[in-house]
Amino acid sequence: MRVGLHVSISGSLSAAIDNAVERECSAFQIFTRSPRMWTAKEISKVDAQEFKDKLSASKIDRFATVAHMPYLPNLASPNSASHSKSVSVLIKEVQRCGEIGIPYLVAHLGSHMGQGEDKGISQLVKAFEKAAEVENDVMILLENTAGQKNSVGSEFSQWAEIFSQLNPKKRFGVCLDTCHAFAYGYDLRTESTVTQTFKKFDDEIGWENLKILHLNDSKGELGSNLDRHEHIGLGKIGEKGMSAGIKLANKTNIPIILETPIDGTRDDVGNIKKVIEIA
């Protein structure tokens, strides 16, 4: 099993690896920069090499490491200025991942801002294909959404429609978030419903395109469209559903990343131990 957390880069990029090892991770996710700003300091060659050297020295497989796009960009935006600014950040993040040797970049699909799903999808495809012109081997992973108003890519068939339009194929994959899927309306509470939901995913998108599983329980009810993550087994999905999802991911060695809350209920290490316990 390859399982880990979203870890902090506070202090330096390579500090993320220390944080991952300290938390007994065999996978991890980072922001390469502040997720709440449009601009970012360039990664120096020294910092990039330090990150790669420290990762090589750890027991963490490089293909179990992933970066996540910052919060501000909206790649589905119909506004030309906002869209252009968002695409610039995406391109830069693909470049930054290449500099430090992270193979995957997870991207939210964003909002069409009331201008319709077709417009949002068109903007997304333009954004992703522009970013794929960056000459490195970083794969962009499209993450499903929870069904909030004006969002795209919540329903597996629409997610598949977006994904199918992207070229070159080798530059794109998907990241499935269990909380988002459940919040949209895909039942994940029992072994049977997890099997059914993952079969729908396989039929629509293809299991071979799944590169990262965001394993998160849900504070919201089934179909609530509420993107609120809960500790593993303590939410509305529950321990049985979480266990079934872990087992399916492990069958094909899909890295599992937890984005669980930071609060007094359970710490990061506790959530990883819970995943291992119920796997």
Side-chain angles (χ1 to χ4, degrees):
M1 187 192 311
R2 294 184 291 175
V3 59
L5 303 152
H6 187 110
V7 293
S8 172
I9 62 166
S10 180
S12 69
L13 274 170
S14 67
I17 300 160
D18 299 326
N19 291 330
V21 170
E22 181 184 344
R23 289 161 177 75
E24 302 176 20
C25 296
S26 49
F28 67 81
Q29 176 176 277
I30 62 169
F31 292 117
T32 74
R33 33 70 68 83
S34 169
R36 302 184 188 280
M37 296 178 64
W38 284 103
T39 58
K41 179 184 174 184
E42 296 290 328
I43 299 173
S44 71
K45 289 184 179 179
V46 171
D47 286 345
Q49 193 60 51
E50 183 180 19
F51 184 94
K52 289 188 280 190
D53 289 346
K54 195 176 285 188
L55 182 58
S56 295
S58 76
K59 295 181 180 179
I60 301 173
D61 178 8
R62 183 173 82 88
F63 286 94
T65 67
V66 56
H68 199 293
M69 277 285 288
Y71 297 129
L72 298 178
N74 178 12
L75 300 170
S77 175
N79 178 281
S80 59
S82 174
H83 186 255
S84 177
K85 196 173 182 181
S86 298
V87 173
S88 294
V89 174
L90 175 63
I91 290 169
K92 193 63 185 175
E93 286 302 304
V94 172
Q95 292 169 339
R96 290 167 72 87
C97 287
E99 288 168 16
I100 61 176
I102 284 186
Y104 301 124
L105 173 65
V106 172
H108 285 159
L109 300 183
S111 168
H112 59 69
M113 309 289 288
Q115 296 301 303
E117 293 175 354
D118 290 345
K119 178 65 173 178
I121 291 171
S122 173
Q123 293 292 81
L124 277 170
V125 171
K126 285 192 288 187
F128 287 134
E129 292 198 335
K130 187 68 177 175
E133 293 175 8
V134 176
E135 294 184 358
N136 61 25
D137 62 355
V138 175
M139 181 179 284
I140 302 168
L141 306 185
L142 286 64
E143 182 177 357
N144 58 313
T145 51
Q148 305 96 318
K149 183 180 179 181
N150 296 332
S151 64
V152 293
S154 302
E155 188 172 3
F156 289 171
S157 59
Q158 188 182 74
W159 195 15
E161 178 189 348
I162 298 165
F163 185 70
S164 69
Q165 294 184 43
L166 299 175
N167 287 294
K169 299 299 181 188
K170 66 179 182 179
R171 295 301 300 273
F172 298 98
V174 298
C175 168
L176 173 64
D177 187 299
T178 54
C179 173
H180 298 176
F182 183 78
Y184 179 70
Y186 292 105
D187 199 347
L188 294 167
R189 291 174 291 190
T190 68
E191 183 177 349
S192 174
T193 58
V194 167
T195 300
Q196 291 169 19
T197 293
F198 276 68
K199 185 180 185 304
K200 286 180 183 177
F201 171 85
D202 188 25
D203 290 344
E204 295 281 1
I205 297 160
W207 189 263
E208 69 280 4
N209 295 309
L210 179 62
K211 305 302 177 182
I212 297 289
L213 179 69
H214 277 173
L215 187 80
N216 301 301
D217 211 327
S218 174
K219 288 184 183 290
E221 299 284 353
L222 177 67
S224 64
N225 304 133
L226 186 67
D227 182 6
R228 292 282 305 283
H229 299 180
E230 181 57 287
H231 297 285
I232 303 303
L234 299 182
K236 301 301 182 181
I237 296 175
E239 197 166 299
K240 288 182 180 178
M242 290 278 94
S243 175
I246 294 163
K247 288 180 170 69
L248 283 173
N250 285 343
K251 280 185 179 179
T252 46
N253 200 28
I254 302 297
I256 295 170
I257 299 293
L258 313 182
E259 299 171 314
T260 39
I262 305 297
D263 59 31
T265 303
R266 186 193 289 154
D267 64 12
D268 285 340
V269 174
N271 276 304
I272 288 184
K273 286 183 176 176
K274 173 55 71 171
V275 168
I276 294 169
E277 174 193 325
I278 66 179

